[in-house]
Amino acid sequence: MEGNVELTNFSFYYGNTVDEEAVGAIAYRNSDKTLQGSLVHDFEVNIVVVYDGTPDEPPIQHSIVGGERCQVLSIGLDGLHRELLSGTHKVLIKCLLEGDIIKDNQERLSILRRDFLRFAEPFREQKLFIGFAHFLQKYVDAKMQLKEDRVLDAYHTLLEGLHHWAELELIERGIHPESAVWEQITGLNTPVRKLYEELTVSTETLGQRVELALLAYEFSMISKLESSSALLLRVLRSRRNPWTIQELILHPELAPVCKELPIVMRKLVYRSLVKEVPVWKESRSYGSEAIRYYTDL
């Protein structure tokens, strides 16, 4: 290739013909040559190649094509969906939302982008549950750290949790959380920004600020528990038989929060939103009762 690379001519990355296993591809051209220091802005072109299953290609490739630096990211469709929900892979998200779709079998990438931008279900339900699970985990961690007199650790954990709380407030209003989440939250009728200011600039001692913040966390957690856990409650209702925690952790819709899921489940049981039933199991050396979970909601 010579001169500027045409985005529609990137068949180089799929061989002489377009890779049949690729669902599609998205190309994002960097128009701002002045910004450097990120994996988006350090390349003239970023290409995301999406596969139906796990790709055989390396996840990241760097090349020079037609005199331009190109970064090629290979990912499965399920992996792309998970990255959109987690919001941690900024390069992938930016490419999907702002890039040009240069290959799209059955318009699967177009539909994925449309649903994500519209915040259509199940995206909103999934993102709300993921955000709440992380928020609850930070609350539990900070409470334990304060009990162990690790006040500074508890303070830092609460600041991280406030970011998840702010994201929850945005998601509940149908707004996509972005990197500038505190700017997004400005002007909304929510206590989270005020709590952030009280936690960071208050004249009270650090321990007092942490204790007051934990009270606010607990109130918010209780008020959001049922609505934010709609995804988990829906999965529990999806079959007649109660679920073990192992089955729930392996459920594809709950995989992004497998680490936080036990804490959320126990909180739902404590608030009587989920019920537990013991099931007797026999083993070679001993008998045990496996706890299974269900809901009537």
Side-chain angles (χ1 to χ4, degrees), residues 18 55 82 121 142 169 262-263 279-280 287:
V18 175
R82 288 194 297 270
E121 301 296 358
E169 295 289 348
I263 290 180
V279 179
W280 184 260

Side-chain angles (χ1 to χ4, degrees), residues 125-183:
E125 181 187 57
Q126 292 171 331
K127 200 160 180 64
L128 188 64
F129 182 64
I130 291 170
F132 179 78
H134 292 154
F135 168 65
L136 178 58
Q137 182 69 64
K138 295 299 180 183
Y139 164 75
V140 173
D141 290 346
K143 197 170 184 179
M144 181 61 65
Q145 289 163 348
L146 184 63
K147 185 177 180 180
E148 297 171 351
D149 293 325
R150 296 161 54 197
V151 179
L152 193 57
D153 287 333
Y155 172 77
H156 178 71
T157 300
L158 286 176
L159 285 178
E160 293 178 331
L162 279 179
H163 194 274
H164 293 301
W165 186 348
E167 289 182 334
L168 283 176
E169 295 289 348
L170 293 171
I171 295 169
E172 288 172 345
R173 290 162 171 80
I175 303 171
H176 273 292
E178 300 173 358
S179 55
V181 65
W182 293 111
E183 293 183 12

